[in-house]
Amino acid sequence: MKLFYSGNSPYARRARIAARASGLAVEEVDASPLAAEDHFLLQHGPGAKVPGLETDAGTYLCETLIITRYLNDLSGGKLLPIDAAAAEAVLELEGVGSLLMDTLFHCSHEKRREAGEQSPAVIAKEDLRANRCYDALDSSLAGQEAALNLGTIAAIAALGYADWRHPEHDWRGGRAGLAAWAEAMMQDQAVAETYPDF
Ligand SMILES: N[C@@H](CCC(=O)N[C@@H](CS)C(=O)NCC(=O)O)C(=O)O
């Protein structure tokens, strides 16, 4: 299988950590830079976004949630607990991690637009949403074991993106439990090796 990524993409980081944790044979292919109008990823589908996964059968999967779920299923469930209640908790966490990532991504793009094109209302709304997500992650992850699953992977990738693009959020401030959990997660090789390079 081939996993297409770009170095600092938080979405691709999730797929890369999931691929490594799955134990499957996945070749990581750097698809950057992504801006070209005739980018080679367009041969695989309309999006030309990362992550993208070419399966052993030649199928091309896009969208992080689909790719990571596929890797979990193919690995025999390495990224989701078997117990139904525990699996639901992981999915709940994965949802908040995904929500935070989308929020941060949207907000960061808005903040990088020309001053006259920015929407202060959008930025304020997304900053508030991000803060609610940090609080939710602090509630659910403080004191928890630093283990890789679909939920913790989504959460740590979103927090890493916050470090890079939103230092002004200071997500560790007042959230010592979440900060300690993230620090413990960074001891994992796949998590550490894919941390944004900024
Ligand atoms: N909804 C997509 C988002 C992926 C995404 O936006 N990836 C960005 C990099 S972080 C990308 O490929 N951007 C290239 C472009 O917009 O042309 C997912 O969950 O995989």
Side-chain angles (χ1 to χ4, degrees):
M1 274 183 293
K2 282 186 183 164
L3 176 63
F4 299 98
Y5 75 97
S6 69
N8 279 357
S9 162
Y11 296 96
R13 186 179 182 212
R14 274 167 71 180
R16 293 171 76 197
I17 297 171
R20 295 178 191 203
S22 73
L24 297 165
V26 180
E27 180 192 350
E28 294 179 19
V29 180
D30 189 349
S32 58
L34 296 168
E37 278 181 19
D38 59 347
H39 196 282
F40 74 88
L41 283 180
L42 287 168
Q43 297 162 17
H44 295 283
K49 288 189 172 190
V50 291
L53 184 77
E54 186 181 40
T55 71
D56 285 340
T59 307
Y60 190 75
L61 302 179
C62 61
E63 292 294 315
T64 305
L65 282 167
I66 290 171
I67 291 169
T68 52
R69 189 59 51 88
Y70 176 83
L71 293 169
N72 171 66
D73 293 352
L74 199 64
S75 70
K78 287 226 171 77
L79 307 175
L80 257 186
I82 294 168
D83 175 75
E88 277 196 20
V90 166
L91 294 180
E92 186 175 40
L93 180 61
E94 187 183 22
V96 177
S98 297
L99 172 67
L100 175 59
M101 189 173 290
D102 286 347
T103 300
L104 296 174
F105 198 67
H106 183 188
C107 194
S108 130
H109 277 265
E110 194 63 35
K111 286 179 179 175
R112 280 180 286 146
R113 289 162 71 116
E114 295 294 325
E117 293 182 358
Q118 288 179 9
S119 163
V122 167
I123 291 172
K125 185 174 181 182
E126 299 304 332
D127 278 343
L128 273 175
R129 197 192 323 267
N131 256 297
R132 292 195 300 271
C133 289
Y134 298 137
D135 286 341
L137 292 181
D138 189 37
S139 297
S140 55
L141 290 170
Q144 294 296 309
E145 186 195 356
L148 290 181
N149 58 47
L150 293 176
T152 56
I153 292 169
I156 198 68
L159 292 172
Y161 186 70
D163 282 342
W164 176 36
R165 287 297 195 193
H166 295 282
E168 78 283 5
H169 284 178
D170 184 27
W171 63 264
R172 290 177 183 79
R175 301 185 188 96
L178 182 61
W181 173 84
E183 190 57 37
M185 284 291 286
M186 279 295 285
Q187 304 313 306
D188 180 272
Q189 193 178 355
V191 175
E193 284 180 1
T194 55
Y195 189 70
D197 184 19
F198 61 97

